[in-house]
């Protein structure tokens, strides 16, 4: 399992904090969605659930949350909770790189050599049309 790079607050061990995090995530708060996704991947809430983690991270990434976008890239690159897909990984890393995520930029650049010119063009077109959802 991939342990993602940002530790979650120890306060999440408190059930009331967990409930508040889940409530905020359910209300569409992208940072809470990212934190909940991380917690479900790492087990910091007491259990792991990759499918639920991916769902929360995807919601945050779709809203433009850079860390969630980077994490989606990592999940697709490694096939954790999703089908491994280098093109999807490259796409999410590219989005995160727009927000100055140096780790995402490094991974994007490493994957770039694996893509054909046609694949680069398809991802470039997808990136051009991408807009965050609110």
């Amino acid at each position: 399992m991939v342990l993602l790079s940002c530790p979650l607050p120890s306060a999440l061990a408190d059930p009331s904090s967990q409930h508040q995090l889940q409530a905020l995530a359910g209300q569409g708060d992208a940072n809470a969605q990212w934190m909940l996704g991380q917690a479900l991947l790492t087990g910091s809430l007491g259990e792991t659930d990759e499918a639920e983690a991916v769902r929360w991270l995807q919601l945050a990434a779709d809203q433009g949350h850079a860390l969630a976008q980077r994490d989606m890239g990592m999940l697709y690159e490694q096939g954790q909770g999703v089908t491994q897909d280098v093109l999807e990984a490259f796409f999410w890393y590219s989005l995160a790189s727009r927000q100055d995520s140096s780790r995402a930029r490094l991974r994007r650049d490493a994957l770039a050599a694996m893509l054909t010119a046609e694949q680069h063009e398809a991802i470039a077109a997808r990136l051009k049309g991408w807009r965050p959802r609110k």
Side-chain angles (χ1 to χ4, degrees), residues 7-8 21-22 25 27-28 31 37 43 46 48 55 74-75 78 82 91 95 101-102 104 109 113 118 124-126 134:
L8 296 173
L21 178 64
Q22 290 171 329
Q27 293 168 10
N31 198 54
T48 60
R55 185 175 81 81
M74 292 172 66
L75 294 174
Q78 297 179 7
V82 296
F91 172 76
L95 283 176
S101 175
S102 58
D109 293 349
E118 293 81 18
R126 187 173 167 199
K134 292 293 175 180

Side-chain angles (χ1 to χ4, degrees), residues 70-124:
R70 182 210 59 206
D71 292 346
M72 289 302 297
M74 292 172 66
L75 294 174
Y76 275 107
E77 183 178 6
Q78 297 179 7
Q80 183 181 356
V82 296
T83 301
Q84 189 173 26
D85 187 330
V86 173
L87 289 175
E88 274 302 297
F90 184 81
F91 172 76
W92 287 110
Y93 284 142
S94 296
L95 283 176
S97 296
R98 290 178 171 180
Q99 298 183 63
D100 200 32
S101 175
S102 58
R103 187 173 191 188
R105 191 175 311 106
L106 287 171
R107 295 306 315 141
R108 177 203 63 198
D109 293 349
L111 294 179
M114 301 169 75
L115 305 181
T116 66
E118 293 81 18
Q119 290 170 323
H120 277 283
E121 288 174 19
I123 294 292

Side-chain angles (χ1 to χ4, degrees), residues 28-88:
D29 181 290
N31 198 54
Q33 291 169 340
W34 170 74
M35 289 177 66
L36 186 54
Q38 285 265 322
L40 289 166
L41 274 179
T42 62
S44 64
L45 295 179
E47 62 183 59
T48 60
D49 185 335
E50 285 185 352
E52 264 306 280
V54 168
R55 185 175 81 81
W56 288 112
L57 290 170
Q58 182 74 60
L59 287 169
D62 286 344
Q63 290 187 65
H65 192 284
L67 294 173
Q69 291 172 339
R70 182 210 59 206
D71 292 346
M72 289 302 297
M74 292 172 66
L75 294 174
Y76 275 107
E77 183 178 6
Q78 297 179 7
Q80 183 181 356
V82 296
T83 301
Q84 189 173 26
D85 187 330
V86 173
L87 289 175
E88 274 302 297

